[in-house]
Amino acid sequence: MQNRTAYNSGAGPSPEDLDACLTVELASVLSAARRRATRDGDRQVDTAHLLHGLLESDPAVREVVDPEGDRTARLLGYLVQRSIGYGLQWHGTVEDSGAVPMVAEGGVPGWSPAAAAAMDGALDRAHARYAMHAGCLDLLAALVDDSECRAVEVLRRASVDTVLLAVRLDRQTQEAVADEF
């Protein structure tokens, strides 16, 4: 099994360069997550915003998260409820899963530390498979790597086995690397 560390201590790309490192689909997910955070009155994009965008936008994400197709509606329901019910305890707080040290300065403006680490992990995962751009499944894998983030909390609440999901995502990555060679 691969090392499941989601954070790379490197500085990562600048915000201007980030779009050049993403697939069009993932860039769209990030835009949706930013809009959702703003609409919800949250100061930062967190991992639950990212998961919500992934589930709404990418059929491959829905397929790998919910192969039987019976949990996607529940997942989206929990994510939609975050401003009126489930997830209300998160409102106005900074997501700090403990996966990375809390950064007072120098973090990514508008992103929780866990969300920034997930983006960094998605880029690392894409580079590990020799891809030029990180995609939606790369971000999903990076989210699942952080067992204490809000996205994983939502997945578990909807009865998604996140350990099995991580295995499926790792298998897909290994197959993609093998197909390249």
Side-chain angles (χ1 to χ4, degrees):
M1 179 171 262
Q2 293 179 341
N3 179 351
R4 306 229 33 99
T5 304
Y7 183 69
N8 168 344
S9 60
S14 69
E16 301 82 37
D17 295 334
L18 183 60
D19 283 345
C21 300
L22 307 176
T23 62
V24 171
E25 296 81 8
L26 184 52
S28 175
V29 166
L30 298 186
S31 293
R34 286 184 196 108
R35 285 191 304 274
R36 185 166 287 108
T38 300
R39 186 176 54 242
D40 290 348
D42 294 328
R43 293 184 331 221
Q44 296 182 324
V45 172
D46 66 22
T47 60
H49 294 120
L50 295 172
L51 177 63
H52 197 160
L54 288 169
L55 288 167
E56 282 187 334
S57 300
D58 194 328
V61 167
R62 289 190 298 274
E63 175 62 29
V64 75
V65 168
D66 186 17
E68 292 83 32
D70 59 349
R71 292 189 179 103
T72 301
R74 184 183 319 161
L75 273 166
L76 287 169
Y78 286 141
L79 290 162
V80 167
Q81 289 180 43
R82 79 177 274 154
S83 62
I84 60 169
Y86 179 74
L88 194 56
Q89 75 274 12
W90 299 333
H91 189 72
T93 64
V94 174
E95 177 183 29
D96 178 25
S97 68
V100 296
M102 189 71 166
V103 179
E105 292 182 30
V108 179
W111 291 76
S112 74
M119 285 306 306
D120 203 25
L123 293 170
D124 288 347
R125 189 174 185 89
H127 292 141
R129 62 180 171 76
Y130 306 103
M132 297 297 294
H133 301 93
C136 294
L137 291 175
D138 295 316
L139 179 56
L140 178 62
L143 291 171
V144 174
D145 282 346
D146 183 354
S147 63
E148 300 301 316
C149 74
R150 291 176 182 173
V152 170
E153 182 180 333
V154 173
L155 289 166
R156 286 188 189 129
R157 184 164 175 101
S159 302
V160 173
D161 183 338
T162 57
V163 173
L164 181 59
L165 176 57
V167 169
R168 283 195 303 264
L169 289 161
D170 282 344
R171 190 176 312 128
Q172 282 186 338
T173 298
Q174 290 168 358
E175 290 170 0
V177 170
D179 288 345
E180 289 292 317
F181 296 103

